[in-house]
Amino acid sequence: MLGGHVEKVSPIGPFAKGLMLKTDKLVQLVVTLKSHPDYHTVKDLIDKLLQTDLFKKSENTESDKIYVDISSLASEYCFYFTSSCDEFEAKFQVLFTSDDLAESKEIVEGNYLFPLDHCTKLNLALKQQQWFENRFKNAPNSLVVLKLLRDMCKRDPDWHLDDNLLELLVNICFQRKNTQDLNVKFREFFELIASGALLLSEMNIDCKYLGGVDSGEVFCLRDFEGNLVELERSRSENLSRLAQHALRLIAFRKIDALFAMSTNKTN
């Protein structure tokens, strides 16, 4: 029914990566169309989707219900649906993009193309998801490490590393030492930050001194597309101090206090 316009449907974000926490309330799905998404095409797709068995059956049941909200389609270029049953409730955001994007913004008879920058960001998110899967999906214990660190960053405002930067740093740690030992992997992460690695781009230190990460080049943080990632100096220095404290906790076998986010930090 929907195949004429749809190329593929891909999850992105914490759900797709297997990193969902209790605080995550939204599952994101990206629908890639065969041509640049426009309002009329997407609205027609949604109308057809609501006529499928999945949605029609929910109208006739009391326990498993699906609620659809398309009020944000014109402003956020997406729609939401909530699936609820006796055990849980999940909210989904469905977004639209295409590999074949157009520049035109002309409005014809009430129809319009979804913004180019909006679709470009979604395509970038899909590429980042592929990068994540290539780096972490087959790495032993990688999701355990990432999920615990992500939980720490979400609960402690002093850390507050965004997901992309956290994944980038963990990826560097995994390149430095190939081990399945969780304690070693956590220690590698905090050692990297405690060493001042976030400040090294200013120091022109060769990568060979960091255990062979891109050996032969000056160390700097780059995202999955090769773009330079920079933090404010005060932010980098504060993260280095926090990582030093984390290493002390690990050394005294207090790693549980670290992930319980004890507020009694020592400089």
Side-chain angles (χ1 to χ4, degrees):
M1 177 183 279
L2 305 178
H5 295 288
V6 177
E7 194 78 44
K8 60 182 178 179
V9 179
S10 310
I12 60 172
F15 173 77
K17 297 172 181 175
L19 301 177
M20 289 282 281
L21 303 173
K22 287 184 178 180
T23 54
D24 294 315
K25 304 298 183 184
L26 192 64
V27 175
Q28 292 181 301
L29 303 174
V30 177
V31 180
T32 301
L33 304 181
K34 294 180 179 179
S35 60
H36 194 126
D38 62 83
Y39 179 80
H40 282 176
T41 298
V42 171
K43 182 65 168 60
D44 183 56
L45 282 172
I46 295 173
D47 291 340
K48 290 179 178 178
L49 182 65
L50 295 180
Q51 296 305 311
T52 60
D53 290 343
L54 174 66
F55 288 87
K56 290 182 72 67
K57 285 180 179 178
S58 73
E59 297 176 357
N60 303 317
T61 62
E62 293 297 328
S63 57
D64 300 333
K65 303 292 284 186
I66 299 178
Y67 304 93
V68 180
D69 178 11
I70 64 170
S71 61
S72 59
L73 185 59
S75 58
E76 299 179 33
Y77 315 106
C78 66
F79 77 96
Y80 297 87
F81 68 90
T82 303
S83 176
S84 64
C85 63
D86 295 337
E87 290 79 20
F88 74 99
E89 179 176 291
K91 186 174 183 179
F92 296 80
Q93 181 187 30
V94 185
L95 306 110
F96 298 86
T97 187
S98 174
D99 294 328
D100 183 20
L101 298 177
E103 295 285 348
S104 174
K105 297 182 180 179
E106 183 179 356
I107 298 176
V108 180
E109 297 180 355
N111 194 21
Y112 55 87
L113 295 177
F114 285 8
L116 182 62
D117 61 340
H118 171 80
C119 296
T120 301
K121 288 179 181 178
L122 289 177
N123 287 346
L124 189 64
L126 290 170
K127 290 180 180 178
Q128 202 277 337
Q129 177 65 33
Q130 187 60 53
W131 174 88
F132 179 92
E133 291 179 2
N134 292 339
R135 294 298 189 280
F136 294 113
K137 285 295 184 177
N138 295 320
N141 295 324
S142 60
L143 297 186
V144 176
V145 173
L146 275 167
K147 196 167 186 177
L148 284 171
L149 289 173
R150 185 170 181 263
D151 181 62
M152 179 192 74
C153 292
K154 293 292 183 184
R155 289 190 286 117
D156 189 334
D158 290 336
W159 275 99
H160 194 60
L161 290 170
D162 69 64
D163 289 348
N164 290 340
L165 180 55
L166 176 63
E167 291 161 12
L168 180 62
L169 290 168
V170 172
N171 178 56
I172 293 173
C173 295
F174 282 14
Q175 290 179 28
R176 293 176 66 192
K177 186 171 291 186
N178 184 17
T179 177
Q180 297 188 31
D181 190 312
L182 283 176
N183 283 328
V184 173
K185 288 190 173 184
F186 285 123
R187 191 164 60 246
E188 278 284 313
F189 174 80
F190 293 115
E191 283 178 354
L192 178 68
I193 300 176
S195 67
L198 297 177
L199 301 164
L200 291 184
S201 59
E202 304 175 12
M203 302 178 186
N204 293 323
I205 295 180
D206 196 296
C207 287
K208 65 184 178 182
Y209 297 111
L210 290 173
V213 180
D214 294 329
S215 182
E217 300 180 5
V218 171
F219 178 84
C220 57
L221 284 176
R222 295 188 180 276
D223 64 17
F224 71 98
E225 289 195 306
N227 301 314
L228 187 65
V229 177
E230 294 183 292
L231 297 177
E232 293 181 0
R233 185 178 182 84
S234 59
R235 175 90 172 111
S236 298
E237 291 174 345
N238 186 52
L239 288 171
S240 296
R241 286 193 294 270
L242 290 170
Q244 290 164 13
H245 172 69
L247 287 174
R248 287 194 289 271
L249 288 176
I250 293 173
F252 288 101
R253 299 184 179 181
K254 296 293 185 181
I255 194 171
D256 56 329
L258 176 64
F259 291 114
M261 297 322 305
S262 172
T263 57
N264 297 320
K265 299 185 181 69
T266 306
N267 292 326

